[in-house]
Amino acid sequence: MTFVLEGPVLEGSRVRLEPLGHRHAEGLSRAGQENRSSYGYTWVPGPGEVEGYIDVQLGRAAEGKLAPYVQVDRASGQVIGATAYWEPRCWRDEDSLTAIEVGFTWLAASAQGTGVNTESKYLLFRHAFEVWGVARVDLKTDARNSRSRAAIESVGARFEGVLRNWSPSWVPGEEGRLRDSAIFSITAEEWPGARARLEARIAGRAVAR
């Protein structure tokens, strides 16, 4: 038996993470067609691209490389974005997950800055550390994407450095080129403190509402 990457439904007070499927195409299309000005460095499907986007992500899932999610606003039931577990590593043994990345994350413009990102990351981190028992969770972004870097740091991840020519660029006009990627992580030793801080932020948002 070897570890199989399968992401279960993860539910918080504001957001529910559901495994991606073609039934989410209409909702993803609607979310991705809001103001797109913040997507300069991010792969977000445009009009007519959603079915292909889902096919690519489900193909990666079938290869065991990805557990893709949609982010659903619990109050409205609307799809408001996507995220994923990505690149599982089983260094200790084939049955035990050592590390995982959280990535392919984007939110509709109306959901940005609402606390959804914080809660989504909390749900993903908690499952990875407390159910799968990982030693670390990775996050990475285009090194030029200051907005994304700030968002990653805001959920408690520590900056580790920049890996040059590491990932495909998603910037229009840079097709086929590689980008420099800023790498962040949370380790198992850091998780209890990060969890407490995230829970405090989530509770503060709930009180503010």
Side-chain angles (χ1 to χ4, degrees):
M1 178 180 178
T2 59
F3 177 82
V4 177
L5 180 61
E6 293 179 345
V9 173
L10 301 173
E11 192 153 0
S13 60
R14 302 192 63 172
V15 65
R16 181 173 64 255
L17 304 182
E18 298 180 2
L20 172 69
H22 281 283
R23 69 187 183 282
H24 298 115
E26 182 179 351
L28 281 174
S29 179
R30 183 172 53 251
Q33 289 183 53
E34 294 186 16
N35 186 334
R36 295 178 61 87
S37 61
S38 65
Y39 299 152
Y41 298 101
T42 307
W43 182 32
V44 179
E49 298 175 342
V50 171
E51 291 289 349
Y53 171 89
I54 294 173
D55 284 339
V56 169
Q57 298 297 69
L58 293 182
R60 289 174 168 148
E63 295 173 353
K65 298 177 180 178
L66 187 79
Y69 284 101
V70 291
Q71 303 188 65
V72 178
D73 178 75
R74 286 193 61 195
S76 66
Q78 298 296 310
V79 173
I80 53 174
T83 191
Y85 286 120
W86 172 232
E87 292 191 341
R89 280 100 71 204
C90 300
W91 297 323
R92 293 175 291 206
D93 60 71
E94 293 183 350
D95 297 332
S96 176
L97 186 65
T98 305
I100 192 79
E101 181 177 332
V102 170
F104 289 104
T105 300
W106 61 271
L107 283 169
S110 59
Q112 296 173 20
T114 64
V116 167
N117 180 61
T118 299
E119 188 171 68
S120 291
K121 292 296 192 298
Y122 168 76
L123 294 171
L124 292 163
F125 295 164
R126 186 179 66 181
H127 186 80
F129 285 115
E130 299 181 13
V131 177
W132 287 335
V134 300
R136 62 178 278 144
V137 171
D138 308 330
L139 303 97
K140 68 174 183 280
T141 188
D142 192 305
R144 299 167 292 182
N145 192 344
S146 57
R147 182 188 182 110
S148 178
R149 291 175 67 156
I152 291 171
E153 289 184 325
S154 76
V155 296
R158 180 177 297 184
F159 175 61
E160 295 187 327
V162 173
L163 298 179
R164 296 176 297 165
N165 288 348
W166 184 255
S167 303
S169 175
W170 298 109
V171 175
E174 294 186 359
E175 292 80 5
R177 292 178 56 185
L178 296 174
R179 74 181 193 190
D180 295 347
S181 292
I183 308 297
F184 299 78
S185 71
I186 299 175
T187 66
E189 294 77 13
E190 295 166 342
W191 170 238
R195 173 176 178 157
R197 290 188 293 272
L198 286 169
E199 289 177 344
R201 286 184 61 187
I202 293 166
R205 286 274 187 177
V207 170
R209 295 204 309 270

